[in-house]
């Protein structure tokens, strides 16, 4: 972690993370689609992840919930290589667990995908970038 970053929390959630977007299921009434829901695998992971995150969040009482722009480094360990590397479902879990006020505050995202057949999980480092707002990018000053 660089000097401009402050660690806000380190979380590990056990379980196979499902893709948020690839397996959405339409729900219809009278032949019309009324809403699109998450798959059962995504719902199961979300419920489990929220419980695990709430327990782990108790160790970071002074820093949470995060109310400013922040960044996340995710290492997603899947059972196999068939899954897309997508962290969107996990960002929703961080919000629902009360770790971030709104998942739109997660502006810097670095996501790695790995395989661990025996122990699928998501490891997450949440951080704040000190100079992100105070120091605008250099290209703003270029002539």
């Amino acid at each position: 972690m660089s000097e401009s970053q402050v660690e806000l929390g380190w979380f590990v959630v056990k379980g196979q993370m499902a893709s948020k977007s690839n397996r959405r299921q339409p729900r219809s009434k009278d032949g019309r689609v009324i809403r699109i829901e998450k798959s059962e695998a995504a719902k199961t992971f979300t419920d489990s992840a929220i419980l695990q995150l709430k327990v782990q969040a108790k160790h970071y009482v002074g820093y949470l919930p995060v109310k400013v722009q922040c960044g996340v480094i995710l290492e997603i360990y899947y059972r196999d290589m068939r899954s897309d590397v997508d962290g969107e479902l996990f960002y929703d879990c961080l919000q629902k667990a009360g770790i971030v006020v709104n998942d739109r505050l997660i502006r810097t995202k670095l996501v790695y995908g790995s395989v661990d057949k025996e122990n699928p999980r998501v490891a997450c480092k949440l951080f704040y970038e000190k100079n992100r707002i105070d120091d605008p990018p250099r290209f703003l000053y270029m002539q």
Side-chain angles (χ1 to χ4, degrees):
M1 183 153 32
S2 72
E3 291 180 18
S4 67
Q5 295 176 350
V6 177
E7 186 174 319
L8 298 174
W10 180 257
F11 307 94
V12 177
V13 173
K14 295 182 178 183
Q16 173 77 16
M17 189 166 89
S19 174
K20 179 179 178 178
S21 55
N22 287 354
R23 295 190 177 152
R24 291 195 171 245
Q25 300 172 347
R27 297 289 179 225
S28 58
K29 184 175 184 180
D30 300 327
R32 296 180 303 144
V33 174
I34 55 172
R35 68 178 179 266
I36 298 177
E37 294 182 348
K38 295 180 195 171
S39 66
E40 284 302 316
K43 288 179 188 177
T44 302
F45 176 81
T46 300
D47 294 343
S48 173
I50 291 169
L51 291 174
Q52 293 178 57
L53 288 167
K54 284 183 177 182
V55 169
Q56 295 175 43
K58 292 177 183 177
H59 300 290
Y60 301 102
V61 173
Y63 296 106
L64 303 176
V66 176
K67 299 175 184 172
V68 296
Q69 288 185 0
C70 60
V72 169
I73 299 172
L74 291 182
E75 179 84 33
I76 304 172
Y77 295 89
Y78 293 104
R79 285 193 180 102
D80 52 46
M81 289 296 288
R82 288 183 287 172
S83 299
D84 291 341
V85 179
D86 181 16
E88 293 300 319
L89 183 64
F90 195 78
Y91 306 141
D92 290 344
C93 294
L94 289 172
Q95 179 178 334
K96 290 177 183 173
I99 292 172
V100 293
V101 174
N102 190 324
D103 61 349
R104 290 186 192 141
L105 292 172
I106 303 171
R107 305 308 274 172
T108 303
K109 301 172 183 177
L110 185 57
V111 183
Y112 297 97
S114 300
V115 174
D116 187 344
K117 293 178 185 178
E118 306 300 319
N119 186 20
R121 64 195 179 281
V122 179
C124 169
K125 182 192 294 185
L126 189 63
F127 62 90
Y128 166 71
E129 294 179 282
K130 285 191 231 179
N131 300 324
R132 182 173 175 94
I133 299 171
D134 300 334
D135 297 332
R138 281 189 220 145
F139 69 83
L140 293 176
Y141 300 111
M142 291 182 182
Q143 300 277 333

